[in-house]
Every structure is written in C-alpha cells, then in structure tokens.
Amino acid sequence: MAIEMEMEFEKESPKIYRFPQSKYIDALRWIPSPSSAFDRFISLALHDPDTDSSSIEIHSLTNQNPSLHLESSWTSSSRISALKVSQTPSKTLIAASSFDGSLNLLLTNPLNVVIESENSISDKDFHVGPISGIDLNGGGSECVTVGEDGRVNLVNVGESSLGYKTVFDSHGLVSYAAVKWASPYEFATGGLGFSLQWWDQRKPGGAVSQLKGDWARRSKSGIVHSIDIHPSRKHVCVAGGSSGTIFAWDLRWQQQPILLSWVDAQVGGVNSPSESEVWEVQYDAYMQSQNVSNTSSTRVLPVMMCSEDGILASIEQGGKQVEVLGETSSINSFDIDLQNPSDVVCSLEWESVVFVSRQ
Amino acid sequence: MPGRLSSSGDSVVPFSSEVRDPVVYHIQHGVKPPISRLSIAWSRGNCLRVSFFRPELDEEEVGGKVVEVKLSSGDEEFDDSQKRKIAYGSVSPFAVFQNQKNSILAMSKMAYHIDWSHQVMEYSRDVKSLLGYPSTTPSSVIDDPRTVLKTGEKPTCLKAAWELLEIFYADKQSHAWLPECLVDWLAVMILLTSDYDSLLSASEVTVHSKLVDLQNQLVNFQAVEDDRNYWEGVSSALSVGWFDTAVKLLRLHGSYQVDQLGNRETENGLVEAVAVLISKMPRMRPELSKRGLGECFKTKPDFMKAWEKWRGHISKLECSAFWIQCDHQQTRDGLRNLLQIMLGNTNSLEAATCNWMELYVSNFLYIRPFTMGLEGMYTLAQKCMQLRPMSNTHRLMGLIFGILGENIEVVLAECSREFGLWMVAHAIELLTAGSNQAEMLLHEERHNLGGISIEELHRLVYAQVLASHALTWQIAPVYLMSCMKQGIALLEILLYKQPVQHNRMLLKSLEICRMYQLDSISTNLMKIAGIYHWKHGRKGFGVFWLQQAGDELRLSRIAQQLFDYVGKSISDDSFKQWEGMIELLSSEAMSAGGLEFLHKYRDLKKSLQKVRDGIATDTAKQAVESLILLMKSPSTPQRFWLSLMHDSLKLLNWRERPLLNVSQTNLLLNKLQELSMARLRPDFCETDLPPQTLGTIRLALATNLGRAILEE
C-alpha cells in the first residue's frame, strides 16, 4: 500500500511557511474572506502561562510572501478550549468556549475583521467545568456546546443577546469531547470509549442513535477528539481519537464503523500515519479533487488529520496516506481553507503557526 | 527551601564554605509600614512571589500586596520566548546526536577506533543555526559602491561563544588553519563589541566604529585621499583582515576618476598595485569567507611557498622607484603604511588597531600565519592585552582565556556563568568530543555528586529548568532520558507532578509514557485521573480512566457507590442518562470490576419495559433469560436481588403459561432463602420495598413452581 501511495502522489512538495509566536496556541481557524483578492485572515486562540492570560487574535495572512500580521485582539477571562468561525454575508462570527465553562461570541466586520461586539454566557447552569466541543451552524444562528460535565446545550445567537436550552444532561455519567452539526436539526457528538451519538432536535429526550463503544474491542479503547460531517453526505460521520484511530460511522449501517486508520495493539498491526492522539479530523476537499474517479458514494471521502506525534496527513479509505507535514513537536489543531482547499494552517505545540500550501 | 547542611560531605551539590558578599536588591512594593508578615515562595519559572501583609488594624489601607520578582540571569540578549525557541530547536539535534553516539558506542565494542567528529560537527552546526537572528534592517538590493560595510546576520554573544567552542573542540579539521578561524571569529566578535547595545561602552573606539564614522563622512569628501581618516580607515580594515573593505576603500581613491587618470597615472598605478597585493594575499584555509579576499591554500608547504613569494612582491614594491614619482604626499605615506602592515611591522599594526583583540587578529594575519594548534596563543593574547588594554571586559573574554589556557573547568564555569544552563548542557557535547582529558573529567562518576558525572548533573539541572515552565516541561524528558543514573526517577516525579484535570495535558503525559515505555507510570496517571474525575462528579470519565488502567480494585469500590446511585435513580425514563455509561462498560475486553452488572440490569429493564407494553410471550421469555443471567451472576449485589424479583413479578405470574422452569424457579427460591437468612445479620441493608414484598414474591415463585412441575 505504501508503494502505491508513493507512485500516485509523486508531485511537487507543498510549500511550508512557519510563523513563530511567543504564546501557546490553543486553537486556530481560517476566517473566510469576502474575496480572494484580499489578504486572508486567521483567528488564533492564545495562552500565555507566564501571565496566565488568554486571548483571541485575528491575523492577516498576506498572499505574496506569506507572513502574519496582527489585526485585532480580544482578551478572554479564561483559557480557550474550542474555536469555531462562521460567516454570512453580513457578519463574521467567532465562537470560543473556555475551560471554565463559558461561551464567548465575537462579531466582526467581514471586511476589515475588527471585533465589533462580544456576547457571552457564563451561567452556572450552562456548563460546569470545561466545554470540550462547540459548533456553529451554517447561518451562525445556533451554536451547540458539549462538555465534560455531560451537558449538551443549544445556544441561540440573537442580535443582541444569547439564549440557551439544555438538550441533555447526563449528570457526568457520560462526558462529551466533540460535536458537529449535520443539518439544521441534527448533530453528532463523540466521547469516551470511541462512542458517537446522533441527536435530532425534533426527537428530544436523548440521542436518537449511538455507535456502541464495544466495536473498539480489538484494540485499546480511547476518546473521540474531533468529528466532521460532509455537507453533501450527512449520513456519514468521521471521527478521530486516541491511538491513531480514525473511523467513519455510516448511519445506514449503524452497527459497525468503517476504520480508516488504526493501531492494533494485540496483533501489533499499524495502519495509521500516527500511533498517538489524533487531535483533529476534517474532510480534505483538495485530496478529493485530486482523484475524482474514486469518489463513489459508498467510499468515505479523504480525511485530513493532525496528531500528537507531529503528523499532518491525508488518508483515504483503503489505507492510502499522504503525509503533508512531519514535525518534531505535536500538531494540536489545523484548519483547511474551504475557499482554497489546498491551503492549510496548523498550530504546533512549540508556539508556532505553520501555513502549508499544496498547490 | 533546603537549609545549609552542617557538613558539605552530605550534600548532593558541594557548596563553598566561603561566604561571598551578599548582594542587596530592593523590591518596590508600595505597602505602607508596618508590615506584620512576609511570605516568600517560588512562582512560575524563575519568579519569586513575595507577599506583604499588614496587621489588620487599619480599615482604610489595603491589607497587603503580592509582588512577583523575576530572577533574571541578566542575559538580555534573548527574551524568554526566544530562549524557549532555542530550547525547542535544540531538542532534535540533541536527541539525534545522542542516538548516534549510542549506536556508535555499541559498535565500538567491536572496532577500536571510531571517529564521530562528523556527527559532532553536524550537531554543532544544527545548534548554531538556532542562535543568530537575521538583521532587522534589510540589505539593499543595489550595491552602493560607497557602502563599504555590510551587515548580514546580527551577531549574538551566544552564537559567538558557541562558534568558539566549535572551532576549538568540535571541528577537528579547523586545527590546521586555526589562525584563520580565529580571524573569522574575531571579525564577528569585533562587531559584537562595537555594537552599541553591547556591554562595552559606546565611547570606546574600535575598527568597526572608525569605519562606520568614515562611511558617514564619505559622502561629503571630494578627494578622500587628502583626509587622514581615510588612510586610517584603510589601514585599520587591512589590519584586522577586512580585505574587501580595504580594497573597496582604496578604489575610492581620487586617482581612479576619469578626469584625473591622465595626470595621476603613477599614483593610480601604486594604489592599484597595493589593492592587487591585498586581494592576492595567500591564506591557509580551505575556502574564503563571505567578505574574504586572497588565495587559499590547503597544505602548509604550498602556503609557505606562496607566502614567501607574496612577501617578495611587497618588498619589491616597497623599494620601487615609482614612489619618488608620486607627488601626493598622503597617498605615498598611506600606501607605504599599508605595505608595512602587510609585512608585519609591529608598530604599524599597533597603530592601526584599537584594542587587544584587533591586535591579536593582526598578529595572526601578518606575523604568525603558520601557527598550528594552541601553541603560544595564550601568551600572545596576554601580550596583546598588555599593549592594548580594554577598559571593559567583555563576557566572552573569560571563555576565550579558558580555552586558550586549555582549562576545561574554567570553560565550563564561564559557559554556565555567562550563558546559562542551556549552554552548559549542550556545549558539554562539544567539550567531551574535543579531548580525552575533558571526556574523562566530565564523564567520571563522582562520589560528591551522588555518583553521577558532571555531564549528567548539568543535564539534570537544565531539565529541571525546562520542567519548571508550562511550555517547556514536555521537552525535559528528552534530557532526563539521556541521564543514566537519575534521569528516570526525575522523569517519574515530573510526570506525577503534571496536572491531570485537563484531558489534553493528561494525554500528552501519557504519550510521553508511551514513547519511553513507562507503562507503570502511565497506569498510575490514569488511576489518579480516574479518581480525580470520579470525585468531581464526572463519573463517566472516572470509570473510563480506571478501566484503561485496569484497576479492578477501585472499579469495584466505586461500583458500590454507583449501585447506590442506581438504586435511587434508575427509573425507567432516566435510563437515557445511563445509556452512555453502560455502553462504556460493555466492552468486554475492559475490566469493569463488577460494573458489568449494570449492563445486564439495563437489558432486563429494557425487556421488562417491552413486556409491559405488549403481551408477546417471546419477549417475556427473553426477559426471563436476562433475569436468570443476572441472578446467576456473582457480580450482582445481594441488595438488588429483592428488587429485581419484585420488578419481574409480572413474569412470575405470567398468565398463559409458566415462564420459568423448575430449576430456574428453584434458583430464585434459593436466592430468596439466602436473603431471609441474611436479614438476620446486622449489616443487612433494607430496601425501600414494602414489607410484604418478600411474601408476595415467595407466593408467586411457589405458584410458578407448581405450574412448572405440572407442565414438565
């Protein structure tokens, strides 16, 4: 399989630009830009342990000779645990959850990305302890939050205020680590024991279906850290987690997940670019565009992942892997520019942002 | 903090018994006296947290203040984040080099002579590349002929120090052309000392400052050759080996101008002859540096031949008759002085240079080009210092003298004092590669260091510094693992010290355990995390980590608590909450420590619910199977027996036919009997069920037994 991989992807190596920061980067996201002619923008969630301060910074990334320039920043009262960005023609919304259980929403001007207003929820009934995952829906009108406390909340993003309702509360019997919208009504969550849950707002009272955790019996169990759902294939949910595991869950065949990448502890088999925590997964539209013939509806679309052992790679069902970046430090998060899917930004443990252009 | 021990023999790190003069620093705290209490504690990194408390008398005044005092080594060349960058960057070269060393050592058990100078140089170059940073002013694209000085990378003392160690210890090849290496190095050094923000006072004149002044004046000059500063500049540049600058300056000579060329032909010829001689100077080195001119020779005989020939040309020019025909006095004197410098005239060299280092370089260039190794270098340095003393001592001076004096202890002490722990931990690799004597000294296991070597001591100390900061603790294991004696123990402590409440942090710690195969630490960390989450109400997380750790004991202990909770809360509609937890427990590969009871309990509850909804006998039969499974299972707690049977009353009284066969009924009857016996014991806990429950169940079972016997 490895040979096949080399044969097919022998092409120009990606261009890599590194931008050292002087703070720890907790998360980073592209901010969609109104036009490709302008510089692009990136939002960073930063933490400085020396002063124990956290902030969200917006940087512009110049198109020519890529470099980062600070445009605006906002100080957070607590360390940021998750970051999401959503854009509509009239506004850009940055949602950031924190380790102390609050959610902050920053509204920026889509043209010059200056932060215009902020709103937050830090209610005691909202979340207790860290919020581990958030996701904004397409229109930026609703934000779903999940936490280690086992709560699933839906936040209604209004013009001037935020309202929320608790969809579910497991009282700590279950903890959630990741969440992703599938449709205006449905979303998926993931958590301990490689479990995934599917929720439908129209059917309240709990998850409508769940992927049983015992499928991972063959190897060590773990935690799902990240989920992605492709807008054109809402029935398939791809998840990444501990021990280099990446799998897809097809709601039409619920009982068994499709393994894309795994480490088999018992047999000693490795079919994964990484053997440690997969921190984030996202569908890789660039890889998808590279091999159009292979996108039959039964196959899982190519997925990009980043890991604790410093790998940024794209993988496909069937074991094909393309390593984009191999670092000596952990790659904690990444984001693919949906407008230019060949471009990726990622954050390194060692206080650096890396911009990779695969064109 | 540990106090001073009574005898230095007991201490791990020996301390000197002489008490040095204490240095007093004042802390600005702004708290009004009286101060009733003072507390000092370590904060993050090398910060001290000093808390001042006032007595609780005054209501208006603030009750106290907390001040953080940063204990800096005074090295302001790099700020904290830049230092971290160096620390991050040096991890990989260090780890790679350690691996190479280990594999070479393993091989050397078979072969006798193994040379790893190649690997040492690679390591040194990788580390060196981290230490400089590009100049902030971008270099101009257009080459201005009047720009005689070019600045590339901004030099740093740390890099200069590293280069020095590389020249003398790591680079074995450089020993053949040590003088030239020193010339290159001192060129950087001279820039460093001239730097306005360096430790030297700005008022001190150096060759560099002279040339900077000259460059600024050049725009105003009509005829440069009439100015004394011009000739001084050329001779200074030549004396320290900045040949490109010297030649460039010479070519600015007025006689080169087109309108002058006719009547100043001889003069121009002389200037050009000197310029050519400068650019043809033979040099004992493999290749030229960026600003270098001259002709390179790799072997000493070739070089000596060329050197004599070159000197011959200079002497010939010196005695030439053309000087008489040159009527420009300044040009004549200036050029002849340049020839004297090239011939190694001590007076000319002394006049052209401003401090001892510059004089030292000029000595190597023109008087002692054949110096091999360290011979006489130390005495020459001392001599130069006497002739041209510097008003301030630069922080690199101690290091230079340590190296020239071939004293490893001084070198190490200077590295530590001036450049800190990072430098020592990494430079030791170069020192041990350099000489057997150094290797023995640094690798020898010392009783007074608790059986570890100096090398290990410095690595441990550096690792402790890394461990003290939230952003660098993850690289400390690389250094700890290279310490044979104490490394593992300290790594264990480091890992146990990391907070477990953040899952990301915990997973990063576990990853370190995985990399170094520290399975027992990994298991313990998971146990600690499990208990932490359990205590903080995140039961799912608690169970998950305890399961991962395979901690049967704790799992069965928390199982009891969980059952209490179940007994109260598992009503039929709250089952959704339990669903996830039960799924977590169901993976059979994981130990559940009695918690698998919950799984079967859930199955029973589910089937009972179905039974309640419909009357299909098949589903009822399934429910009975679940019930029997539960009652047979040793993990089902006794206190659940009664409520289990109570919940299943409908099954026992099934209208159509008896669902339980004889043996199944007997099993339940036995359990019931056991319960009645247990009731007599003092530790029996009563359920909330109505008192007649036992009787009702017994009756139902008896009826069922009767029907079952009849059916069979």
PDB file of all heavy atoms in Angstrom, chain B residues 180-202:
ATOM      1  N   GLU B 180      43.274  31.348  10.910  1.00  0.00           N
ATOM      2  CA  GLU B 180      42.255  31.898  10.021  1.00  0.00           C
ATOM      3  C   GLU B 180      40.857  31.786  10.640  1.00  0.00           C
ATOM      4  O   GLU B 180      40.019  32.663  10.497  1.00  0.00           O
ATOM      5  CB  GLU B 180      42.290  31.178   8.671  1.00  0.00           C
ATOM      6  CG  GLU B 180      43.443  31.618   7.789  1.00  0.00           C
ATOM      7  CD  GLU B 180      43.171  32.946   7.076  1.00  0.00           C
ATOM      8  OE1 GLU B 180      42.050  33.464   7.204  1.00  0.00           O
ATOM      9  OE2 GLU B 180      44.088  33.441   6.400  1.00  0.00           O
ATOM     10  N   CYS B 181      40.630  30.668  11.346  1.00  0.00           N
ATOM     11  CA  CYS B 181      39.334  30.513  12.032  1.00  0.00           C
ATOM     12  C   CYS B 181      39.155  31.624  13.048  1.00  0.00           C
ATOM     13  O   CYS B 181      38.076  32.203  13.173  1.00  0.00           O
ATOM     14  CB  CYS B 181      39.262  29.177  12.758  1.00  0.00           C
ATOM     15  SG  CYS B 181      39.155  27.784  11.660  1.00  0.00           S
ATOM     16  N   LEU B 182      40.247  31.896  13.757  1.00  0.00           N
ATOM     17  CA  LEU B 182      40.172  32.954  14.765  1.00  0.00           C
ATOM     18  C   LEU B 182      39.937  34.308  14.118  1.00  0.00           C
ATOM     19  O   LEU B 182      39.214  35.139  14.651  1.00  0.00           O
ATOM     20  CB  LEU B 182      41.460  32.985  15.576  1.00  0.00           C
ATOM     21  CG  LEU B 182      41.468  32.140  16.838  1.00  0.00           C
ATOM     22  CD1 LEU B 182      42.755  32.400  17.604  1.00  0.00           C
ATOM     23  CD2 LEU B 182      40.270  32.490  17.729  1.00  0.00           C
ATOM     24  N   VAL B 183      40.550  34.539  12.949  1.00  0.00           N
ATOM     25  CA  VAL B 183      40.347  35.802  12.240  1.00  0.00           C
ATOM     26  C   VAL B 183      38.870  35.977  11.930  1.00  0.00           C
ATOM     27  O   VAL B 183      38.281  37.028  12.199  1.00  0.00           O
ATOM     28  CB  VAL B 183      41.191  35.832  10.939  1.00  0.00           C
ATOM     29  CG1 VAL B 183      40.779  37.022  10.075  1.00  0.00           C
ATOM     30  CG2 VAL B 183      42.668  35.912  11.268  1.00  0.00           C
ATOM     31  N   ASP B 184      38.267  34.915  11.390  1.00  0.00           N
ATOM     32  CA  ASP B 184      36.839  34.981  11.068  1.00  0.00           C
ATOM     33  C   ASP B 184      36.012  35.224  12.319  1.00  0.00           C
ATOM     34  O   ASP B 184      35.098  36.034  12.347  1.00  0.00           O
ATOM     35  CB  ASP B 184      36.365  33.662  10.439  1.00  0.00           C
ATOM     36  CG  ASP B 184      36.879  33.518   9.032  1.00  0.00           C
ATOM     37  OD1 ASP B 184      37.455  34.493   8.515  1.00  0.00           O
ATOM     38  OD2 ASP B 184      36.714  32.426   8.453  1.00  0.00           O
ATOM     39  N   TRP B 185      36.357  34.466  13.357  1.00  0.00           N
ATOM     40  CA  TRP B 185      35.573  34.570  14.577  1.00  0.00           C
ATOM     41  C   TRP B 185      35.690  35.960  15.199  1.00  0.00           C
ATOM     42  O   TRP B 185      34.716  36.567  15.610  1.00  0.00           O
ATOM     43  CB  TRP B 185      36.033  33.500  15.574  1.00  0.00           C
ATOM     44  CG  TRP B 185      35.213  33.545  16.821  1.00  0.00           C
ATOM     45  CD1 TRP B 185      33.980  33.016  16.993  1.00  0.00           C
ATOM     46  CD2 TRP B 185      35.544  34.200  18.037  1.00  0.00           C
ATOM     47  NE1 TRP B 185      33.513  33.290  18.248  1.00  0.00           N
ATOM     48  CE2 TRP B 185      34.459  34.015  18.908  1.00  0.00           C
ATOM     49  CE3 TRP B 185      36.658  34.932  18.476  1.00  0.00           C
ATOM     50  CZ2 TRP B 185      34.447  34.529  20.200  1.00  0.00           C
ATOM     51  CZ3 TRP B 185      36.643  35.438  19.764  1.00  0.00           C
ATOM     52  CH2 TRP B 185      35.548  35.237  20.614  1.00  0.00           C
ATOM     53  N   LEU B 186      36.942  36.461  15.211  1.00  0.00           N
ATOM     54  CA  LEU B 186      37.140  37.773  15.830  1.00  0.00           C
ATOM     55  C   LEU B 186      36.456  38.876  15.028  1.00  0.00           C
ATOM     56  O   LEU B 186      36.052  39.892  15.583  1.00  0.00           O
ATOM     57  CB  LEU B 186      38.630  38.063  15.983  1.00  0.00           C
ATOM     58  CG  LEU B 186      39.256  37.399  17.206  1.00  0.00           C
ATOM     59  CD1 LEU B 186      40.761  37.446  17.127  1.00  0.00           C
ATOM     60  CD2 LEU B 186      38.809  38.068  18.498  1.00  0.00           C
ATOM     61  N   ALA B 187      36.299  38.652  13.720  1.00  0.00           N
ATOM     62  CA  ALA B 187      35.582  39.642  12.911  1.00  0.00           C
ATOM     63  C   ALA B 187      34.168  39.813  13.446  1.00  0.00           C
ATOM     64  O   ALA B 187      33.656  40.925  13.553  1.00  0.00           O
ATOM     65  CB  ALA B 187      35.555  39.195  11.461  1.00  0.00           C
ATOM     66  N   VAL B 188      33.547  38.695  13.802  1.00  0.00           N
ATOM     67  CA  VAL B 188      32.205  38.746  14.385  1.00  0.00           C
ATOM     68  C   VAL B 188      32.266  39.381  15.760  1.00  0.00           C
ATOM     69  O   VAL B 188      31.464  40.229  16.136  1.00  0.00           O
ATOM     70  CB  VAL B 188      31.618  37.334  14.493  1.00  0.00           C
ATOM     71  CG1 VAL B 188      30.239  37.380  15.123  1.00  0.00           C
ATOM     72  CG2 VAL B 188      31.557  36.667  13.136  1.00  0.00           C
ATOM     73  N   MET B 189      33.278  38.963  16.489  1.00  0.00           N
ATOM     74  CA  MET B 189      33.456  39.434  17.857  1.00  0.00           C
ATOM     75  C   MET B 189      33.649  40.947  17.890  1.00  0.00           C
ATOM     76  O   MET B 189      33.111  41.642  18.747  1.00  0.00           O
ATOM     77  CB  MET B 189      34.698  38.714  18.390  1.00  0.00           C
ATOM     78  CG  MET B 189      34.912  38.792  19.842  1.00  0.00           C
ATOM     79  SD  MET B 189      33.455  38.326  20.727  1.00  0.00           S
ATOM     80  CE  MET B 189      33.608  39.473  22.047  1.00  0.00           C
ATOM     81  N   ILE B 190      34.438  41.442  16.942  1.00  0.00           N
ATOM     82  CA  ILE B 190      34.705  42.881  16.907  1.00  0.00           C
ATOM     83  C   ILE B 190      33.408  43.639  16.644  1.00  0.00           C
ATOM     84  O   ILE B 190      33.125  44.669  17.241  1.00  0.00           O
ATOM     85  CB  ILE B 190      35.783  43.199  15.845  1.00  0.00           C
ATOM     86  CG1 ILE B 190      37.146  42.711  16.350  1.00  0.00           C
ATOM     87  CG2 ILE B 190      35.838  44.680  15.551  1.00  0.00           C
ATOM     88  CD1 ILE B 190      38.204  42.616  15.294  1.00  0.00           C
ATOM     89  N   LEU B 191      32.577  43.057  15.778  1.00  0.00           N
ATOM     90  CA  LEU B 191      31.265  43.649  15.534  1.00  0.00           C
ATOM     91  C   LEU B 191      30.448  43.654  16.810  1.00  0.00           C
ATOM     92  O   LEU B 191      29.758  44.618  17.130  1.00  0.00           O
ATOM     93  CB  LEU B 191      30.518  42.857  14.476  1.00  0.00           C
ATOM     94  CG  LEU B 191      30.830  43.173  13.027  1.00  0.00           C
ATOM     95  CD1 LEU B 191      30.056  42.226  12.135  1.00  0.00           C
ATOM     96  CD2 LEU B 191      30.451  44.605  12.715  1.00  0.00           C
ATOM     97  N   LEU B 192      30.535  42.548  17.532  1.00  0.00           N
ATOM     98  CA  LEU B 192      29.770  42.418  18.772  1.00  0.00           C
ATOM     99  C   LEU B 192      30.162  43.482  19.775  1.00  0.00           C
ATOM    100  O   LEU B 192      29.315  44.129  20.369  1.00  0.00           O
ATOM    101  CB  LEU B 192      30.039  41.056  19.404  1.00  0.00           C
ATOM    102  CG  LEU B 192      29.078  39.939  19.111  1.00  0.00           C
ATOM    103  CD1 LEU B 192      29.528  38.709  19.873  1.00  0.00           C
ATOM    104  CD2 LEU B 192      27.673  40.311  19.523  1.00  0.00           C
ATOM    105  N   THR B 193      31.469  43.625  19.958  1.00  0.00           N
ATOM    106  CA  THR B 193      31.919  44.585  20.967  1.00  0.00           C
ATOM    107  C   THR B 193      31.637  46.003  20.508  1.00  0.00           C
ATOM    108  O   THR B 193      31.528  46.901  21.308  1.00  0.00           O
ATOM    109  CB  THR B 193      33.421  44.423  21.250  1.00  0.00           C
ATOM    110  OG1 THR B 193      34.100  44.441  19.998  1.00  0.00           O
ATOM    111  CG2 THR B 193      33.725  43.153  21.980  1.00  0.00           C
ATOM    112  N   SER B 194      31.511  46.195  19.196  1.00  0.00           N
ATOM    113  CA  SER B 194      31.238  47.545  18.718  1.00  0.00           C
ATOM    114  C   SER B 194      29.759  47.864  18.768  1.00  0.00           C
ATOM    115  O   SER B 194      29.362  49.000  18.622  1.00  0.00           O
ATOM    116  CB  SER B 194      31.687  47.711  17.268  1.00  0.00           C
ATOM    117  OG  SER B 194      32.795  46.928  17.022  1.00  0.00           O
ATOM    118  N   ASP B 195      28.974  46.827  18.908  1.00  0.00           N
ATOM    119  CA  ASP B 195      27.539  47.025  18.901  1.00  0.00           C
ATOM    120  C   ASP B 195      27.153  47.987  20.012  1.00  0.00           C
ATOM    121  O   ASP B 195      27.614  47.882  21.128  1.00  0.00           O
ATOM    122  CB  ASP B 195      26.872  45.667  19.126  1.00  0.00           C
ATOM    123  CG  ASP B 195      25.497  45.643  18.523  1.00  0.00           C
ATOM    124  OD1 ASP B 195      25.129  46.660  17.919  1.00  0.00           O
ATOM    125  OD2 ASP B 195      24.807  44.634  18.670  1.00  0.00           O
ATOM    126  N   TYR B 196      26.312  48.958  19.663  1.00  0.00           N
ATOM    127  CA  TYR B 196      26.009  50.000  20.650  1.00  0.00           C
ATOM    128  C   TYR B 196      25.315  49.446  21.888  1.00  0.00           C
ATOM    129  O   TYR B 196      25.464  49.954  22.971  1.00  0.00           O
ATOM    130  CB  TYR B 196      25.170  51.112  20.027  1.00  0.00           C
ATOM    131  CG  TYR B 196      23.833  50.658  19.502  1.00  0.00           C
ATOM    132  CD1 TYR B 196      22.710  50.714  20.300  1.00  0.00           C
ATOM    133  CD2 TYR B 196      23.709  50.149  18.210  1.00  0.00           C
ATOM    134  CE1 TYR B 196      21.487  50.278  19.826  1.00  0.00           C
ATOM    135  CE2 TYR B 196      22.491  49.710  17.736  1.00  0.00           C
ATOM    136  CZ  TYR B 196      21.380  49.768  18.558  1.00  0.00           C
ATOM    137  OH  TYR B 196      20.185  49.334  18.110  1.00  0.00           O
ATOM    138  N   ASP B 197      24.563  48.349  21.734  1.00  0.00           N
ATOM    139  CA  ASP B 197      23.871  47.856  22.920  1.00  0.00           C
ATOM    140  C   ASP B 197      24.657  46.750  23.630  1.00  0.00           C
ATOM    141  O   ASP B 197      24.144  46.063  24.477  1.00  0.00           O
ATOM    142  CB  ASP B 197      22.455  47.387  22.579  1.00  0.00           C
ATOM    143  CG  ASP B 197      22.446  46.363  21.476  1.00  0.00           C
ATOM    144  OD1 ASP B 197      23.520  45.864  21.111  1.00  0.00           O
ATOM    145  OD2 ASP B 197      21.353  46.067  20.984  1.00  0.00           O
ATOM    146  N   SER B 198      25.905  46.583  23.222  1.00  0.00           N
ATOM    147  CA  SER B 198      26.682  45.555  23.904  1.00  0.00           C
ATOM    148  C   SER B 198      27.199  46.098  25.229  1.00  0.00           C
ATOM    149  O   SER B 198      26.969  47.250  25.582  1.00  0.00           O
ATOM    150  CB  SER B 198      27.833  45.099  23.030  1.00  0.00           C
ATOM    151  OG  SER B 198      28.951  45.902  23.287  1.00  0.00           O
ATOM    152  N   LEU B 199      27.888  45.229  25.921  1.00  0.00           N
ATOM    153  CA  LEU B 199      28.305  45.613  27.273  1.00  0.00           C
ATOM    154  C   LEU B 199      29.403  46.670  27.276  1.00  0.00           C
ATOM    155  O   LEU B 199      29.627  47.332  28.260  1.00  0.00           O
ATOM    156  CB  LEU B 199      28.779  44.367  28.018  1.00  0.00           C
ATOM    157  CG  LEU B 199      27.701  43.330  28.258  1.00  0.00           C
ATOM    158  CD1 LEU B 199      28.282  42.096  28.892  1.00  0.00           C
ATOM    159  CD2 LEU B 199      26.596  43.900  29.130  1.00  0.00           C
ATOM    160  N   LEU B 200      30.082  46.774  26.157  1.00  0.00           N
ATOM    161  CA  LEU B 200      31.147  47.775  26.101  1.00  0.00           C
ATOM    162  C   LEU B 200      30.552  49.164  26.011  1.00  0.00           C
ATOM    163  O   LEU B 200      29.503  49.360  25.421  1.00  0.00           O
ATOM    164  CB  LEU B 200      32.015  47.525  24.878  1.00  0.00           C
ATOM    165  CG  LEU B 200      33.083  46.453  25.025  1.00  0.00           C
ATOM    166  CD1 LEU B 200      33.918  46.414  23.770  1.00  0.00           C
ATOM    167  CD2 LEU B 200      33.951  46.733  26.218  1.00  0.00           C
ATOM    168  N   SER B 201      31.252  50.111  26.551  1.00  0.00           N
ATOM    169  CA  SER B 201      30.737  51.479  26.491  1.00  0.00           C
ATOM    170  C   SER B 201      30.841  51.972  25.052  1.00  0.00           C
ATOM    171  O   SER B 201      31.752  51.630  24.313  1.00  0.00           O
ATOM    172  CB  SER B 201      31.539  52.387  27.416  1.00  0.00           C
ATOM    173  OG  SER B 201      32.863  52.430  26.973  1.00  0.00           O
ATOM    174  N   ALA B 202      29.876  52.787  24.674  1.00  0.00           N
ATOM    175  CA  ALA B 202      29.792  53.219  23.284  1.00  0.00           C
ATOM    176  C   ALA B 202      30.950  54.153  22.922  1.00  0.00           C
ATOM    177  O   ALA B 202      31.297  54.315  21.760  1.00  0.00           O
ATOM    178  CB  ALA B 202      28.478  53.914  23.034  1.00  0.00           C
TER     179      ALA B 202
END
